[in-house]
Amino acid sequence: MFPKALPTRKRRRTEVASVGGRDEVKFRDVTLFLVEKRMGKSRRNFLSNLARSKGFCLDDALSADVTHVVSEGNAAQELWSWLEEQGFREMQDKHVLHISWFTESMSAGRPVPPEIRHYIQNPAVDQRSRTNPSAKPESALSPYACQRRTTMDNHNKIFTDALEVLAENLELGGNQGPSLAFRRAASVLKSLPAALRHLQETQHLPCLGEHSRAIIEEIFEYGSSSRVEEILNDERYRTMKLFSSVFGVGPKTSESWFCRGLRSFEQVLSEPSVRLNRMQTAGFLFYEDISKPVSRTEASALKIIVEEAVISVNPSATVSITGGFRRGKEFGHDVDFIIKTPEAGQEDVILTAVIERFKSQNILLYSDFQESTFDLRQLPTHCFEAMDHYSKCFLIIKLKREQETDARAGRDWRAVRVDLVAPPLERFAYALLGWTGSTLFERDLRRFARLERGKLLDNHTLYDKATNTFLPANTEEDIFAHLGLEYIEPWQRNA
Ligand code: UTP
Ligand code: MN
């Protein structure tokens, strides 16, 4: 544009002109913001003019348009607290960079791609996702499942299945803590857009510890893991898994049966000292049916049945499918429904009436109704793993078979596990979010809320510890927004 040997005076005039912001913007997808703190006003002005003269766009305020924040001399902790106070949120397309990135970009005459060394990391965020010097920082995976999009397309099933066997084995042994490490590792792999090709590709992924990596390495080398094979053949694991596959039988009961030397259902059922509760009795009675996965088609047929019953009780109530099917799963171990009642106080009434209706239709095989114990005054609870307080019921229902009838059993239905939950209207968004899962997604939402945002989340509410207030939400989007998280669609929550 300019002649090469531009007289000094003229060039100076060009720079002066840039103060008025008339320089041509060359890089439209980059908007800089220079942090004045520690940099000082005059240096900030000088650097701003320099950048404008090179075709960079700058914003004097930390607006939503800002893509690159540049800071000089500020401690990461201090800088990030200030940024967050200003409402700045960590997002994929926002970069918080050291002045070195700015200087290099000025010499290059263009915004250089930010590298790890340029970033000023938020000290509040888990460092494990950030130790990769070669990965594109823009694509760095979050260690929180609620910041990853995980669809049903798992490209790393061979690895995730193995890691989940290890996790399950620990859970059955009562070691929830250590099992979580394998669950997290599996979840990270599930979110990858493609299959791993080498072990090295795991090096920079968050949540992959040395144990998980060793398993992956073995699978790369031999096609399977000897540790996993060992577990799959282990008598204790096999028996515990068999027992806990019965509705109403958890790890504790399984363990006690195993320790008494019991190894099969026949032995359990003929053991005089074993007392089955009502749920377990139903679990054994309908075992064959309810241990078979429920298909999406069956779930849709059930929705019609539930809807019909709900509407007959309260025409203004609505029914939505939640749980795994809402996340796009093709099969489930049960079908979860959430009922929305516009009138307050209808929650218990509607479920009892629906149960009565199923009874009168002769399709109710088992029901466990739990009255609402919801009381906002008792919140927030710090006990997140506890069940929620909503009115709910766990049912076993007869579902008419469409095609083949079970001639052998002489019946034209199969038993299916159905869960219904009816929260008060103003709690609906929180209940829906909680019941949609996946379990790990929910767990990480809560962990993220607590550790990164100082807020307590559960199936009932979101509580802001800084202001001592409950945050209202009409939709799931509202809840993600309260947490400063990008919205993750239900089918992207298969973490
Ligand atoms: P499920 O156990 O039904 O899991 O719980 P799922 O994801 O639908 O998978 P399958 O296909 O049935 O096996 C669904 C969600 O409901 C929550 C669980 O935490 C899970 O995220 N839930 C369940 C509650 O929040 N409270 C309950 O009392 C029960
Ligand atoms: Mn379910």
Side-chain angles (χ1 to χ4, degrees):
M1 207 176 196
F2 300 109
K4 264 203 177 116
L6 200 69
T8 325
R9 230 198 274 143
K10 253 198 182 161
R11 186 184 290 168
R12 222 174 253 144
R13 205 172 297 142
T14 316
E15 279 178 11
V16 170
S18 73
V19 179
R22 270 168 288 160
D23 294 290
E24 187 193 355
V25 174
K26 286 196 205 152
F27 316 107
R28 299 207 167 269
D29 42 1
V30 170
T31 301
L32 308 186
F33 172 79
L34 305 185
V35 178
E36 187 172 307
K37 197 164 178 212
R38 302 217 189 257
M39 183 181 283
K41 202 178 185 123
S42 62
R43 181 159 159 81
R44 184 182 191 236
N45 280 341
F46 168 79
L47 295 177
S48 299
N49 292 338
L50 174 69
R52 287 199 176 102
S53 75
K54 292 190 183 275
F56 284 78
C57 178
L58 282 90
D59 204 326
D60 285 328
L62 185 54
S63 74
D65 299 333
V66 169
T67 57
H68 293 57
V69 173
V70 175
S71 156
E72 185 173 40
N74 292 294
Q77 185 107 52
E78 212 182 338
L79 174 69
W80 271 99
S81 319
W82 182 79
L83 287 173
E84 278 168 0
E85 266 167 39
Q86 310 302 305
F88 180 88
R89 300 215 170 103
E90 200 157 5
M91 278 191 276
Q92 290 233 324
D93 53 347
K94 305 251 178 200
H95 309 271
V96 176
L97 304 162
H98 193 261
I99 190 76
S100 60
W101 173 83
F102 180 89
T103 326
E104 287 168 39
S105 298
M106 291 308 119
S107 339
R110 63 182 168 82
V112 298
E115 291 173 24
I116 283 283
R117 64 191 167 88
H118 295 131
Y119 279 85
I120 302 173
Q121 311 290 7
N122 184 349
V125 175
D126 195 312
Q127 292 299 312
R128 278 173 299 183
S129 63
R130 263 88 183 253
T131 47
N132 180 5
S134 62
K136 276 190 237 108
E138 293 89 334
S139 66
L141 265 187
S142 168
Y144 291 103
C146 57
Q147 290 186 302
R148 304 190 294 259
R149 295 173 199 274
T150 316
T151 65
M152 283 300 297
D153 301 322
N154 177 2
H155 304 281
N156 288 283
K157 201 166 181 310
I158 183 167
F159 304 114
T160 60
D161 282 355
L163 293 167
E164 282 175 345
V165 168
L166 293 161
E168 199 175 23
N169 184 47
L170 288 161
E171 277 153 25
L172 289 173
N175 300 304
Q176 312 302 327
S179 97
L180 209 50
F182 289 121
R183 291 260 176 232
R184 292 226 158 92
S187 172
V188 165
L189 298 186
K190 283 182 189 175
S191 75
L192 297 180
L196 289 174
R197 286 163 304 172
H198 334 274
L199 180 67
Q200 291 89 298
E201 288 181 343
T202 64
Q203 211 178 334
H204 310 305
L205 295 174
C207 310
L208 266 99
E210 58 174 308
H211 296 296
S212 299
R213 218 167 274 146
I215 299 294
I216 296 169
E217 180 170 26
E218 223 188 330
I219 296 174
F220 266 127
E221 208 161 326
Y222 305 107
S224 65
S225 149
S226 56
R227 178 70 194 119
V228 172
E229 296 296 308
E230 205 177 288
I231 293 170
L232 290 173
N233 288 314
D234 177 55
E235 190 182 27
R236 183 191 155 89
Y237 171 82
R238 293 168 72 103
T239 312
M240 295 274 290
K241 198 160 155 57
L242 175 73
F243 290 166
S244 57
S245 73
V246 178
F247 175 52
V249 179
K252 283 213 182 82
T253 309
S254 304
E255 170 143 56
S256 105
W257 291 350
F258 179 81
C259 291
R260 279 190 253 176
L262 306 173
R263 295 293 179 267
S264 67
F265 289 166
E266 288 71 25
Q267 288 172 352
V268 170
L269 295 172
S270 59
E271 167 63 44
S273 70
V274 167
R275 289 259 175 279
L276 298 179
N277 63 28
R278 207 168 64 85
M279 197 183 252
Q280 294 160 347
T281 306
F284 276 112
L285 204 51
F286 304 109
Y287 184 80
E288 230 186 273
D289 276 6
I290 60 183
S291 62
K292 266 191 238 124
V294 187
S295 71
R296 176 169 283 281
T297 315
E298 289 171 321
S300 306
L302 276 162
K303 181 166 189 255
I304 294 168
I305 295 170
V306 174
E307 240 163 11
E308 193 269 334
V310 165
I311 290 168
S312 79
V313 178
N314 182 341
S316 54
T318 55
V319 175
S320 314
I321 216 158
T322 173
F325 287 109
R326 184 164 182 246
R327 302 196 309 273
K329 278 177 76 172
E330 285 303 319
F331 294 95
H333 95 283
D334 66 356
V335 192
D336 308 285
F337 294 102
I338 185 164
I339 298 168
K340 194 182 207 170
T341 47
E343 308 90 353
Q346 281 286 294
E347 304 90 52
D348 287 339
V349 183
I350 197 149
L351 288 190
T352 38
V354 165
I355 292 169
E356 283 310 313
R357 188 166 175 91
F358 289 160
K359 243 183 234 169
S360 71
Q361 292 171 324
N362 192 30
I363 57 168
L364 191 70
L365 295 167
Y366 170 86
S367 105
D368 173 11
F369 169 64
Q370 302 194 351
E371 218 175 19
S372 167
T373 54
F374 177 72
D375 181 356
L376 196 59
R377 289 164 304 180
Q378 286 178 16
L379 296 175
T381 167
H382 291 256
C383 182
F384 296 120
E385 306 311 324
M387 285 249 240
D388 63 47
H389 296 287
Y390 299 128
S391 177
K392 61 172 90 68
C393 57
F394 307 112
L395 311 175
I396 301 178
I397 299 231
K398 284 185 193 173
L399 177 65
K400 273 248 181 331
R401 286 174 198 267
E402 285 292 305
Q403 305 109 1
E404 19 104 58
T405 53
D406 195 336
R408 207 162 29 99
R411 55 183 165 92
D412 59 352
W413 52 267
R414 70 161 288 189
V416 192
R417 276 270 304 109
V418 172
D419 288 350
L420 306 180
V421 60
L425 182 64
E426 82 281 1
R427 300 287 124 211
F428 185 80
Y430 285 104
L432 179 64
L433 179 63
W435 278 72
T436 299
S438 68
T439 309
L440 193 76
F441 189 89
E442 302 298 327
R443 185 187 274 278
D444 272 10
L445 264 178
R446 286 157 203 209
R447 196 166 58 106
F448 179 88
R450 186 165 41 90
L451 299 178
E452 305 295 336
R453 298 292 184 255
K455 295 182 169 116
L456 299 175
L457 173 71
D458 63 16
N459 276 12
H460 314 95
T461 191
L462 180 61
Y463 179 78
D464 187 347
K465 291 202 278 185
T467 56
N468 291 324
T469 50
F470 293 107
L471 305 172
N474 288 320
T475 61
E476 288 180 314
E477 281 89 339
D478 291 346
I479 305 170
F480 281 85
H482 282 316
L483 291 171
L485 281 171
E486 281 179 44
Y487 182 64
I488 307 285
E489 299 283 356
W491 57 90
Q492 299 170 327
R493 299 181 202 161
N494 288 287

